[in-house]
Amino acid sequence: MGDDKLGTMILSSNNLNSSLVMPEIPIRPNPSIPRTIGIFLILGSLVVIFDGGGSLATHFSELSEVGAANQVELMKMLGVEISVEEMMQWDSEFKNSNYHLITGLIKVSAGILLFIGGVQLLLKKYLGGIFSLSGGGLWFLSQVISIYWATIIEDRVGISLATQWDLAATAICFICNLFCLILPLIPMFGPAGRAALSPPLNPKITTFSEEE
């Protein structure tokens, strides 16, 4: 065989016209992503449930004159001038409107959904993201209802206890609420986090597992 024949290749017309296809790279699951987010959501859900429970306790408890006097002193420290009678009237109006009852039930329900979602994400279940998003959305709805409804009641009774600290607390709640809505999206749409959830939503996950 001569040197001119060494290294020669015979290509068919099919090979010349065919295009190169890059193989799909399988996605490696990262279970730490849904588990970490699940822990954060569980901790957040406990705060929401505690907040809702506090609202329910306020609805079913009676405000005495001594308790009203203590609250009046606290409000004066925050820059709000109000009498004991006005405090009693304000509290009675909110309770008669079932404000604390309804907002408390909504918050507790949102916290339960967040808790279930966090547990499901700890177990690497895709439903955990859906439960968490539902809980975060319900919590956001409860905050909007609370702010709007409280404003209506205070305008009707002519007594407002709003302070700058309430504005700061509301801003913090909305920021935490935003995190509860964003965090579940990471394992649901992030490739490595989504690959760790079950049932697998990407056929490349099964391929990667079989190769290992």
Side-chain angles (χ1 to χ4, degrees), residues 141-161:
L141 179 63
S142 71
Q143 295 192 82
V144 173
I145 293 175
S146 299
I147 296 173
Y148 182 72
W149 196 2
T151 302
I152 294 177
I153 296 175
E154 289 186 338
D155 289 342
R156 184 172 64 237
V157 74
I159 302 172
S160 177
L161 302 183

Side-chain angles (χ1 to χ4, degrees), residues 64-185:
S64 63
E65 291 189 4
V66 176
N70 293 332
Q71 291 191 20
V72 167
E73 293 298 324
L74 178 61
M75 296 307 299
K76 287 181 179 179
M77 294 175 60
L78 297 176
V80 178
E81 294 294 333
I82 186 175
S83 64
V84 175
E85 291 76 15
E86 288 175 332
M87 175 62 73
M88 298 286 289
Q89 182 183 359
W90 183 91
D91 181 74
S92 176
E93 189 68 25
F94 271 79
K95 288 180 179 177
N96 292 335
S97 301
N98 291 323
Y99 171 85
H100 300 296
L101 176 63
I102 295 176
T103 56
L105 288 175
I106 296 176
K107 289 177 183 178
V108 170
S109 300
I112 292 174
L113 287 174
L114 286 170
F115 183 83
I116 295 174
V119 172
Q120 290 289 316
L121 287 176
L122 275 176
L123 299 175
K124 299 181 294 182
K125 302 293 185 181
Y126 182 79
L127 283 176
I130 298 177
F131 275 104
S132 300
L133 287 175
S134 301
L138 188 59
W139 185 24
F140 178 82
L141 179 63
S142 71
Q143 295 192 82
V144 173
I145 293 175
S146 299
I147 296 173
Y148 182 72
W149 196 2
T151 302
I152 294 177
I153 296 175
E154 289 186 338
D155 289 342
R156 184 172 64 237
V157 74
I159 302 172
S160 177
L161 302 183
T163 65
Q164 59 181 357
W165 299 105
D166 294 325
L167 180 61
T170 301
I172 293 174
C173 287
F174 274 109
I175 292 174
C176 295
N177 196 170
L178 182 63
F179 274 104
C180 289
L181 291 171
I182 293 177
L183 288 178
L185 299 177

